[in-house]
Amino acid sequence: MSDLLDCAPGFRADQLAGFRIGVTSDRRSADLIDALARRGATVIHAPTLRMTNALSDDPVIADTRAIVEARPDVLLATTAYGVRRWFEVADAAGLGEDLLDALSDTAILVRGPKARGGIRAAGLNDVGMSAQETTESLIDEVLANYPAGLTVAVQLHGFLEPSQLERLDASHARVLTVAPYRWVEIDESDDRVERLIESACTGGLDAITFTSAPAVHALFGAAEAMGRYDDLVDAMCGPVVAAAVGPVTALPLVAAGIEPIQPDRYRMGALIRLVCEHLETDRVVRLETRHGPLALRGSIVDVADRRVSLAPVALMILRALVQARGSVVARDRLASGLPGTNDEHALEVALSRLRQTLGVPGLIATVVKRGYRIDV
């Protein structure tokens, strides 16, 4: 997938240079990380949940036997991986042909194109796709267009609100489920999620990508355990872009008051393109100064025909000054953002280092007894 995207119009190897992006997904994360890194981003991978097969295939086999025996009137197929995994387990248990036969006359509804591909790869055909590519809209379809009293089977995709299955139970004679895989929490010894949260809260990230709602819930849960939930939400309402692959993934973000960006097409490639376009268009801060143009993009600054990488403290100071666009930024305001201290002497030392790093004398002007400003 990455190679295809690299050939797309507008691709540049420095497109995301300077930007730091957190990736929270587990499955298929390598594709996403590779595509972002190829465009110059620094990627922090911190999977909040891990997709795993059932601990034992016995429950999957038992559920499969029940579905074969019931010959359901309707099947809701939600994920391509889940369908493939289900038929692999059925084949290994000697139930593959029986399952195909039991579903041969079943009205199969799929959540999206990938689930449709999984069904067709198994040798079956579907009769329709959900309007919004969600399990909830699949259930809406069944309730709206099929008579009550049917036997309905649901291939679960690792996370579904119990209330959704209760809607089916209320209208139909029998609802059967099969869960070929599940989501599990990351081992406590893995501190990558904590480091991602700290980075987001302290200016070390420019964007976080999400490809599933459970991953969002898990990140919020980890932030609560750290006492950083409010800080994380504030960050994603401000300098850190939250990028969701689609509306279902976006729901817990929206519920927290965050406005994530999301592509029109709920696909990984579309998410990557949107992140590139949004960061380049909306998150590069440009300013004309008396010393030439300045552009702040993530952790780097283009100034005086040079590209300079900035350490976190220097970046925090310069971002505050650039966003003020020539207005004075008070000393105490800048000092309050220093990690572990609000000492003005530490601020003076940090500003001296920043000036040396930028190498443009006079770009950052001192306003006596007030603070500092960019010389515009």
Side-chain angles (χ1 to χ4, degrees):
M1 183 194 72
S2 296
D3 291 338
L4 292 176
L5 285 171
D6 290 351
C7 296
F11 169 78
R12 300 194 319 278
D14 66 343
Q15 194 170 15
L16 295 177
F19 289 111
R20 302 144 304 168
I21 302 175
V23 171
T24 61
S25 57
D26 175 44
R27 183 171 172 268
R28 293 191 65 205
S29 60
D31 289 336
L32 179 54
I33 292 169
D34 182 61
L36 296 172
R38 282 174 181 264
R39 287 157 175 76
T42 298
V43 181
I44 299 174
H45 185 209
T48 54
L49 290 174
R50 181 168 53 87
M51 182 188 291
T52 183
N53 295 337
L55 288 175
S56 167
D57 287 338
D58 291 344
V60 181
I61 293 169
D63 291 339
T64 301
R65 291 187 190 280
I67 289 172
V68 167
E69 181 181 347
R71 302 186 71 89
D73 302 294
V74 179
L75 168 68
L76 306 187
T78 61
T79 63
Y81 177 77
V83 171
R84 289 197 305 271
R85 166 73 180 154
W86 182 19
F87 275 88
E88 286 171 1
V89 173
D91 285 336
L95 295 171
E97 292 300 322
D98 292 337
L99 182 58
L100 282 173
D101 180 65
L103 298 177
S104 59
D105 295 323
T106 299
I108 302 175
L109 298 171
V110 297
R111 191 175 70 155
K114 292 181 181 178
R116 171 173 283 166
I119 286 295
R120 293 184 177 178
L124 297 166
N125 286 306
D126 65 274
V127 298
M129 185 186 302
S130 69
Q132 299 175 338
E133 297 189 23
T134 67
T135 306
E136 290 79 358
S137 64
L138 270 183
I139 293 172
D140 292 340
E141 178 82 10
V142 174
L143 297 178
N145 298 313
Y146 290 82
L150 301 179
T151 296
V152 180
V154 183
Q155 173 256 311
L156 297 175
H157 59 86
F159 180 83
L160 182 66
E161 292 288 347
S163 59
Q164 296 300 327
L165 290 178
E166 290 169 4
R167 294 170 62 205
L168 287 174
D169 279 322
S171 296
H172 292 287
R174 192 177 182 191
V175 177
L176 303 169
T177 62
V178 59
Y181 65 90
R182 63 196 180 100
W183 294 103
V184 296
E185 294 185 358
I186 301 299
D187 192 295
E188 290 183 0
S189 63
D190 189 338
D191 66 350
R192 287 179 294 175
V193 173
E194 292 184 2
R195 286 190 278 119
L196 180 143
I197 292 169
E198 282 296 334
S199 293
C201 295
T202 57
L205 278 183
D206 301 292
I208 305 176
T209 63
F210 300 95
T211 58
S212 73
V216 180
H217 288 297
L219 184 68
F220 284 166
E224 285 181 353
M226 294 170 61
R228 285 293 223 166
Y229 174 79
D230 289 339
D231 295 334
L232 179 63
V233 171
D234 287 345
M236 287 196 285
C237 287
V240 181
V241 177
V245 75
V248 175
T249 301
L251 279 176
L253 294 166
V254 174
I258 299 164
E259 295 184 10
I261 61 171
Q262 49 186 308
D264 294 332
R265 296 178 65 250
Y266 315 142
R267 302 288 180 271
M268 186 85 77
L271 176 66
I272 293 165
R273 284 189 291 272
L274 178 62
V275 169
C276 291
E277 293 167 2
H278 184 81
L279 291 179
E280 274 202 306
T281 303
D282 294 356
R283 295 302 172 112
V284 176
V285 184
R286 294 180 171 85
L287 183 64
E288 289 295 330
T289 79
R290 296 178 65 180
H291 306 267
L294 179 153
L296 184 61
R297 44 182 301 127
S299 63
I300 62 176
V301 57
D302 293 328
V303 61
D305 297 322
R306 296 168 54 236
R307 174 161 285 185
V308 181
S309 180
L310 298 177
V313 171
L315 178 62
M316 180 276 297
I317 294 171
L318 184 62
R319 180 180 287 125
L321 293 172
V322 170
Q323 288 176 340
R325 311 195 76 82
S327 297
V328 177
V329 181
R331 295 169 61 90
D332 57 355
R333 179 186 160 194
L334 289 175
S336 67
L338 297 177
T341 181
N342 59 359
D343 180 61
E344 292 195 0
H345 175 68
L347 173 63
E348 291 172 1
V349 172
L351 270 161
S352 176
R353 290 174 179 168
L354 173 59
R355 284 167 165 152
Q356 291 176 4
T357 300
L358 295 175
V360 184
L363 178 64
I364 298 177
T366 300
V367 181
V368 179
K369 296 185 178 180
R370 293 181 59 196
Y372 303 90
R373 59 183 286 272
I374 297 291
D375 187 22
V376 297

